[in-house]
Amino acid sequence: IFDSMWESTTKMARAITNGIESEDIQVRLMNTRKWHRSDIMTEIIDAGAIAVGSPTLNNSIFPVIADVMTYIKGLRPQNKIAAAFGSYGWSGEAVKILNKEFADMKLDIIDDGVRVQYVPDADDLDKCFDLGVKLAKTLKERVPQ
């Protein structure tokens, strides 16, 4: 689940998705501009893992991501793996805020997350890919295939 201001977080989301798919795990890439939040919640209910990406805006997460996180929290998801990612220009609080939200929901945060200042370069995208692989492998360990 992600949104982006200048496509940096979009690039990160795609790289994470590629990492998950490389481990033969089904994944849905959900841009909040294209998916209705109720449809996002339907997917989350059955998901074993959640990755949420947001750019930092005014020292916080993107408003539409805050809305989605509030909705997720209300569902009280159980037994889910979580990871955060995001881009920023100056301060970069989004990933830390998302991780706090995950912790408040008692989700299993498997990584500190990936933060990228400005546009992700090849090394940043490799870190995103690796985060996707880590999500997939952790999920495989918990849910026998």
Side-chain angles (χ1 to χ4, degrees), residues 45-118:
I45 290 168
D46 293 329
I50 303 168
V52 180
S54 175
T56 298
L57 177 66
N58 297 328
N59 302 322
S60 192
I61 57 177
F62 215 43
V64 69
I65 297 296
D67 175 66
V68 168
M69 292 299 288
T70 298
Y71 201 161
I72 295 170
K73 188 182 281 189
L75 291 176
R76 294 187 171 98
Q78 303 280 317
N79 304 316
K80 304 235 184 265
I81 299 162
F85 62 98
S87 59
Y88 65 98
W90 294 276
S91 56
E93 289 91 350
V95 170
K96 184 166 70 168
I97 292 167
L98 289 169
N99 281 333
K100 182 180 180 329
E101 292 287 328
F102 292 149
D104 290 347
M105 288 185 256
K106 300 194 180 357
L107 300 182
D108 186 7
I109 303 165
I110 63 150
D111 192 275
D112 291 337
V114 179
R115 297 172 62 234
V116 172
Q117 188 171 27
Y118 304 121

Side-chain angles (χ1 to χ4, degrees), residues 1-2 25-32 34-52 68 71-72 75 77-81 107 139:
I1 305 160
F2 74 98
I25 295 289
Q26 181 183 1
V27 61
R28 293 225 193 273
L29 184 61
M30 296 181 286
N31 182 328
T32 59
K34 297 177 182 175
W35 282 72
H36 189 275
R37 66 184 180 157
S38 295
D39 295 326
I40 292 171
M41 295 313 128
T42 299
E43 294 294 328
I44 286 173
I45 290 168
D46 293 329
I50 303 168
V52 180
V68 168
Y71 201 161
I72 295 170
L75 291 176
Q78 303 280 317
N79 304 316
K80 304 235 184 265
I81 299 162
L107 300 182
L139 188 59

